[in-house]
Amino acid sequence: DQQVKQNSPSLSVQEGRISILNCDYTNSMFDYFLWYKKYPAEGPTFLISISSIKDKNEDGRFTVFLNKSAKHLSLHIVPSQPGDSAVYFCAASAYTNAGKSTFGDGTTLTVKP
Amino acid sequence: DVKVTQSSRYLVKRTGEKVFLECVQDMDHENMFWYRQDPGLGLRLIYFSYDVKMKEKGDIPEGYSVSREKKERFSLILESASTNQTSMYLCASTQGAPNEKLFFGSGTQLSVL
């Protein structure tokens, strides 16, 4: 049973527009959510996170929204830039699990100039 | 900045060979993890370690073992490589507090022929 799902394998947007990447989870014990970005031939790098006590966290062009009742989170990138083209992984962890993260399948974002 | 170094970027091995993947981190992190990344399957946890000489199975430990003789080094061992272990292997580390972000190495692309 996949506990973290990213249902869109790919997303293509125009430069300057908004990118919205979605993630759903099933385990109600998850209380911390993270987004990672991965370029080809590199390891994932941390992008932004949100605790379950919040519903929004913002960092520059990146905003993560959490809807606990729907077990859904989304990453908004505004405005999108060609350098944002990468694979984005959603991850979830539980305080009681000492930081062991469960990852989604990833969404490949392509931002067209 | 934290640096997680994986000894090889690319490896090609034969079926049945014993394979060692090495990972070293330079920030005195307590926790270390091994993930594999496959298309459409995201990142899956193989093994992790919260302390020297300590190890715990992740979600897909079959066919793998690990060694953590020193705090900074975490090795993944494929006892008898098989073709279904062809994958991108990613090492990661965190300080130890729950829900911390992971710092990843650049990955090792292993091909088993």
Side-chain angles (χ1 to χ4, degrees):
Chain A
D1 177 36
Q2 194 169 7
Q3 298 186 61
V4 178
K5 290 185 181 179
Q6 295 175 252
N7 291 317
S8 298
S10 62
L11 175 67
S12 181
V13 299
Q14 208 66 35
E15 181 179 6
R17 306 292 292 269
I18 185 172
S19 296
I20 300 176
L21 293 88
N22 294 303
C23 179
D24 297 295
Y25 62 96
T26 58
N27 188 341
S28 57
M29 295 297 292
F30 289 144
D31 55 11
Y32 201 72
F33 304 89
L34 310 95
W35 285 92
Y36 292 85
K37 179 169 71 174
K38 185 183 184 299
Y39 293 118
E42 294 183 13
T45 55
F46 170 75
L47 187 59
I48 192 170
S49 62
I50 188 167
S51 164
S52 60
I53 62 173
K54 294 186 176 182
D55 55 17
K56 177 182 174 182
N57 188 27
E58 198 169 352
D59 183 2
R61 297 185 297 113
F62 302 92
T63 303
V64 56
F65 295 92
L66 175 63
N67 182 334
K68 281 192 298 182
S69 60
K71 293 190 174 69
H72 176 84
L73 62 154
S74 60
L75 173 68
H76 293 211
I77 306 173
V78 184
S80 301
Q81 299 174 354
D84 296 330
S85 297
V87 179
Y88 289 79
F89 289 100
C90 169
S93 65
Y95 186 90
T96 53
N97 217 7
K100 194 176 72 169
S101 291
T102 300
F103 284 79
D105 295 346
T107 296
T108 300
L109 173 66
T110 303
V111 181
K112 298 180 179 178
Chain B
D1 277 353
V2 174
K3 192 162 185 181
V4 180
T5 303
Q6 294 184 232
S7 54
S8 305
R9 293 297 300 271
Y10 301 96
L11 274 179
V12 180
K13 296 292 180 180
R14 296 275 181 199
T15 302
E17 278 192 77
K18 190 169 186 176
V19 182
F20 292 87
L21 302 182
E22 305 287 343
C23 176
V24 177
Q25 48 93 5
D26 66 358
M27 283 301 290
D28 202 35
H29 279 178
E30 300 288 336
N31 302 343
M32 296 189 75
F33 305 81
W34 276 106
Y35 286 86
R36 62 178 281 179
Q37 181 198 357
D38 300 288
L41 296 176
L43 276 68
R44 294 178 292 166
L45 182 63
I46 305 171
Y47 265 97
F48 58 102
S49 169
Y50 292 144
D51 200 355
V52 175
K53 296 192 185 293
M54 175 271 173
K55 60 185 178 184
E56 284 199 31
K57 293 179 180 179
D59 300 320
I60 51 165
E62 296 78 19
Y64 303 95
S65 62
V66 289
S67 171
R68 194 163 181 203
E69 296 295 321
K70 293 184 178 180
K71 189 176 184 179
E72 68 270 18
R73 187 180 297 271
F74 192 35
S75 303
L76 180 69
I77 303 157
L78 285 67
E79 297 290 342
S80 178
S82 63
T83 55
N84 63 11
Q85 292 179 309
T86 291
S87 185
M88 167 68 77
Y89 289 88
L90 292 160
C91 175
S93 70
T94 67
Q95 177 54 40
N99 294 334
E100 274 197 35
K101 63 185 180 186
L102 291 161
F103 292 88
F104 283 90
S106 297
T108 297
Q109 179 62 52
L110 173 66
S111 296
V112 183
L113 305 178

